[in-house]
Amino acid sequence: MKFENKRILIYKWRAYNYLDVHQTFLTMGFEVDLIEQHLPSYDEDAGFSERLTKVLHSRPYDFVFTINYFGVVSDTCEQFGIPYVSWSCDSPLISMYHESVYNECNYIFLFDKAGYLFFKQMGIQHIWHLPLAVDADRIDHIIKNADDLKLYQNTISFVGSLYERNEYDRLIPTLPAYLQGYFDCAMEAQMNISGGNILEPLLTDDICIQLQRHYRLEKTERSFSDLRLIFATTVLGFKVAKETRISCLLELVKKYPVSIYTNSNTHNLVKVDYRGSVDYWTQMPKVFYGSRINLNFTIPNIKTGIPLRVWDVLGAGGFLMTNYQSELEVYFELNKDLVVFESRHDLVKKAAYYLEHEDLRRQIAQNGYEKVKQLHSYKQRMSQMMEILKGDI
């Protein structure tokens, strides 16, 4: 397809990488219009659908674009007869477990290859794997023009949520002892696995039958998400992320200064230096640049993909230590562009090593920075997206 109008419509929500995507579309020569509205339901919203339809009638667009997938946008585009393009930054996207995912208008890009393969096997035709990216040039500008970098210097730092408001902590008092013990063991096992997800397989049919007596699954009529998926991701997955992050930070702070930047409650993180929250655009790159070691803990819901934090740390020239994800080896040389740890013990051991070997740490950070700057920019990713669309729409 030729993009005859060179104009697109973006549904804007609070996605961290929205501005990078928006700017890249502009750089590629597209005119970009925005529609913004809170959606209580991603599946259905008559008022938003009517508003979107009016906007689409107002001028010609080549396609509608969103970061992540929204069923209500897809259904409206299907009725209007206009292509709908989405690119995920979260995984799994519960909103994709919806009948609208089969709409002919959809052109879906997922950053987690495991999720892509799952939906491809379900018969979704217009779906591709597309990793996330970073605008290293934008971050370079922030770093070079900053006069407050000393405020963001850390020995070891983590930027992110502790998921302390997870649903499991609220649910556990209502569960019988057997289910509590079973889930605790499942989560402990998950915490000891780097780069794999065993939570869904451990939710057997028998366990799900028992769980239904205590946990109510709410979904819309056209949703085909099930108890196993929802409980494994939005309940157990978030709880595992909380326990993993807290336990690793507490283990590190026994030996080294550790800082955390978060909106979460940090009362459990004794001795960890709480530095408040940071703005994604103006402050976070300074943290990554100024920290001798930056940490990434990928939530187990992301089965193979590389989360946005990895790209952002490397794009700021930061040294990164992360848990293993299988896609890391596709795009990076482990222990040359970034460092992977396998467990809490391995994390502490490797942190000690790289704090003692400053020249090697700096070289790895430089390697990672050069790799993402040269090969993994938003312009490169979205040019690839446009080439796919030209050949497929």
Side-chain angles (χ1 to χ4, degrees), residues 192-208:
N192 288 305
I193 295 175
S194 184
N197 188 309
I198 63 172
L199 293 175
E200 283 188 57
L202 287 177
L203 291 177
T204 63
D205 290 343
D206 179 62
I207 291 295
C208 287

Side-chain angles (χ1 to χ4, degrees), residues 11-31:
Y11 167 62
K12 178 185 176 183
W13 62 283
R14 294 179 62 184
Y16 286 122
N17 57 344
Y18 155 73
L19 285 178
D20 281 330
V21 170
H22 185 171
Q23 184 59 46
T24 303
F25 274 127
L26 294 176
T27 301
M28 296 172 73
F30 285 94
E31 290 185 45

Side-chain angles (χ1 to χ4, degrees), residues 77-139:
C77 289
E78 182 78 355
Q79 294 173 9
F80 194 84
I82 186 171
Y84 169 43
V85 181
S86 62
W87 186 18
S88 71
C89 66
D90 295 314
S91 183
L93 289 178
I94 304 301
S95 59
M96 284 186 61
Y97 292 76
H98 185 261
E99 291 176 2
S100 64
V101 78
Y102 290 99
N103 286 343
E104 290 293 326
C105 67
N106 293 335
Y107 298 87
I108 301 170
F109 296 84
L110 301 183
F111 82 93
D112 189 339
K113 192 167 187 177
Y116 154 73
L117 292 173
F118 174 82
F119 283 102
K120 189 70 174 177
Q121 290 168 0
M122 286 180 56
I124 309 301
Q125 296 299 313
H126 299 148
I127 190 165
W128 299 268
H129 173 234
L130 189 70
L132 295 170
V134 65
D135 187 344
D137 291 333
R138 172 182 62 81
I139 296 176

Side-chain angles (χ1 to χ4, degrees), residues 360-378:
L360 177 58
R361 184 191 65 78
R362 290 180 181 275
Q363 184 59 58
I364 291 174
Q366 183 66 25
N367 294 344
Y369 165 77
E370 291 177 357
K371 179 70 65 74
V372 298
K373 187 178 178 69
Q374 294 171 11
L375 301 176
H376 303 293
S377 69
Y378 276 96

Side-chain angles (χ1 to χ4, degrees), residues 152-211:
Y152 300 93
Q153 292 181 346
N154 305 277
T155 302
I156 300 174
S157 73
F158 172 66
V159 181
S161 173
L162 296 177
Y163 292 98
E164 80 281 8
R165 292 185 291 272
N166 65 84
E167 195 170 357
Y168 186 79
D169 288 336
R170 296 191 293 269
L171 179 65
I172 194 169
T174 70
L175 297 177
Y178 174 77
L179 284 181
Q180 289 185 33
Y182 187 89
F183 293 144
D184 286 346
C185 289
M187 290 187 291
E188 182 65 28
Q190 179 63 66
M191 289 174 63
N192 288 305
I193 295 175
S194 184
N197 188 309
I198 63 172
L199 293 175
E200 283 188 57
L202 287 177
L203 291 177
T204 63
D205 290 343
D206 179 62
I207 291 295
C208 287
I209 290 172
Q210 296 184 56
L211 180 59

